Amino acid sequence: MNYTFQHPHFFFLLLLLLPMIGWYLWKHRELNASLQISTLKGFSAIRKSRKTYLRHLPFVLRCLTLILLIIALARPQSTNNLREVTTEGIDIMVSLDISGSMQAMDFKPNRLEAAKDVAIEFISGRPNDKMGLVIFAAESFTQCPLTIDHAALINLIQDVSFGMLEDGTAIGMGLSTAVSRIKDSDAKSKVIILLTDGVNNRGEIHPLTAAEIAKSFGIRVYTIGVGSIGTAPFPVNTVFGQQVQQMEVKIDEDMLKEIANMTGGEYFRATNKNKLKEIYEKIDQMEKTKIQVKEYSKRSEEFIPFALAALILLLAEILLKNTVLRNLP
């Protein structure tokens, strides 16, 4: 609850207190006559009356009365602000490649862990959107359907690891599963973020067929190719234990670009974790949630308590002057 004043210019009337106080001090000095005497010993035993201590009280009450009246004239008002927030959310499915090639160490600590970290940061920055996760390798699986419970989604992303699915790269299956999860959404905007580091080599559905299905449902697909240019360090199990070898990076960029173009999305290439973070930030800017906020204000007049308090103080001043302090100058 907030307090405001309808007529704050009335507070300039408080300046009237200055001449009032000055006039009262001058008048009080004039009323006290001076007399020169040799000693005050004869007056030391005289006790001061309680009326002497109260003689300034009427003036104090008068000043307080004036202050309260000025506040009442300024019309204090209490305001209750009500906000009605309407969000036009965007439903987003992330389709994440977890094939063995995502173990490549050109991203730290590897491609999959870097992709998970950036995806979690992206999800945390969009509290008004429903989001979900599909993982794919040789087959696809819905790790989390569309949900507004982002804490649960983040926990499920953190649980993603290698070996959950048979190895391979079924891009078409990963995309089609994401489409099936988002196609019936009633959101104004439906988006799939498809992240992979390889070439489609498994699955019954061709990636471009899945893209055609996405297009028919008005779903935009942003595709991200993950991997450095040329070769990348990759852990390999040998008879001497695990060793790191340089492996060629193969990404079907032409196909990923075509998927994005067909659905009205865009293709990005991430060669390191910072670049991947920039890509997610760019997608975040392109797919902004629309939020409409309506504010309602309810005002209540609050001058009556101040006016009543001023009246009480005025009556107290009159009562004191005509009873207890009647005979005082």
Side-chain angles (χ1 to χ4, degrees):
M1 183 179 292
N2 300 319
Y3 286 91
T4 58
F5 293 91
Q6 185 71 22
H7 305 298
H9 53 274
F10 275 105
F11 284 116
F12 287 111
L13 294 176
L14 291 173
L15 295 174
L16 293 174
L17 290 171
L18 296 177
M20 281 180 59
I21 295 172
W23 175 83
Y24 181 79
L25 294 174
W26 176 81
K27 180 182 177 183
H28 184 70
R29 180 180 294 180
E30 289 293 319
L31 290 175
N32 293 328
S34 60
L35 176 66
Q36 291 185 353
I37 57 176
S38 60
T39 180
L40 295 174
K41 289 181 179 180
F43 300 94
S44 59
I46 299 176
R47 296 180 60 186
K48 291 184 178 180
S49 169
R50 283 182 297 178
K51 293 182 179 181
T52 305
Y53 293 104
L54 294 175
R55 69 184 187 277
H56 299 300
L57 186 56
F59 178 72
V60 173
L61 293 175
R62 193 179 311 157
C63 290
L64 292 175
T65 300
L66 178 62
I67 292 172
L68 291 172
L69 283 174
I70 291 172
I71 294 175
L73 287 171
R75 285 186 63 184
Q77 297 174 331
S78 60
T79 305
N80 283 322
N81 292 322
L82 303 176
R83 290 166 56 92
E84 180 182 308
V85 180
T86 304
T87 61
E88 186 180 295
I90 299 172
D91 286 357
I92 301 175
M93 287 296 298
V94 177
S95 186
L96 178 62
D97 186 347
I98 64 165
S99 60
S101 58
M102 290 289 285
Q103 296 181 67
M105 300 162 63
D106 47 353
F107 289 60
K108 300 299 179 183
N110 58 50
R111 292 174 183 172
L112 179 59
E113 291 303 318
K116 287 163 56 177
D117 290 344
V118 177
I120 288 172
E121 188 175 335
F122 176 74
I123 292 165
S124 299
R126 302 183 69 92
N128 298 309
D129 299 321
K130 285 193 294 183
M131 305 185 77
L133 175 67
V134 167
I135 56 175
F136 67 92
E139 52 190 345
S140 61
F141 175 76
T142 303
Q143 178 75 351
C144 181
L146 286 171
T147 179
I148 199 67
D149 187 352
H150 290 179
L153 174 58
I154 288 171
N155 287 334
L156 288 168
I157 291 175
Q158 291 171 337
D159 291 340
V160 172
S161 61
F162 297 108
M164 294 178 68
L165 300 171
E166 182 184 349
D167 198 16
T169 305
I171 297 174
M173 295 296 293
L175 179 55
S176 62
T177 301
V179 170
S180 67
R181 284 295 184 177
I182 201 174
K183 65 182 178 64
D184 296 324
S185 166
D186 56 0
K188 294 288 185 181
S189 183
K190 292 174 279 191
V191 172
I192 293 174
I193 299 175
L194 174 69
L195 186 148
T196 183
D197 70 339
V199 178
N200 187 73
N201 54 28
R202 298 291 295 272
E204 296 82 19
I205 301 177
H206 192 275
L208 296 182
T209 302
E212 285 285 357
I213 299 171
K215 179 182 178 181
S216 67
F217 286 106
I219 301 169
R220 276 190 304 282
V221 182
Y222 293 97
T223 55
I224 303 175
V226 177
S228 56
I229 306 297
T231 60
F234 188 85
V236 178
N237 292 321
T238 67
V239 293
F240 302 104
Q242 191 176 80
Q243 295 184 352
V244 177
Q245 298 180 4
Q246 292 293 325
M247 304 288 288
E248 185 181 1
V249 177
K250 295 181 179 179
I251 300 175
D252 193 345
E253 291 192 282
D254 291 336
M255 185 187 66
L256 293 177
K257 288 177 182 178
E258 190 168 352
I259 292 172
N261 291 333
M262 287 174 59
T263 59
E266 191 171 337
Y267 168 72
F268 303 94
R269 177 68 182 266
T271 54
N272 55 57
K273 187 175 181 179
N274 288 334
K275 183 65 176 178
L276 181 60
K277 187 179 296 186
E278 291 175 7
I279 291 168
Y280 269 101
E281 288 174 355
K282 188 172 182 180
I283 295 173
D284 183 54
Q285 292 297 318
M286 290 190 292
E287 297 290 344
K288 276 296 183 185
T289 301
K290 296 180 181 178
I291 300 177
Q292 293 180 341
V293 179
K294 294 181 180 179
E295 292 192 358
Y296 304 90
S297 295
K298 181 181 178 181
R299 296 178 181 271
S300 300
E301 297 289 350
E302 303 290 345
F303 70 90
I304 293 179
F306 295 98
L308 288 176
L311 178 61
I312 291 171
L313 292 180
L314 180 62
L315 293 175
E317 179 191 354
I318 295 172
L319 187 63
L320 278 173
K321 291 183 70 174
N322 290 278
T323 56
V324 180
L325 305 176
R326 186 170 186 176
N327 298 321
L328 286 178

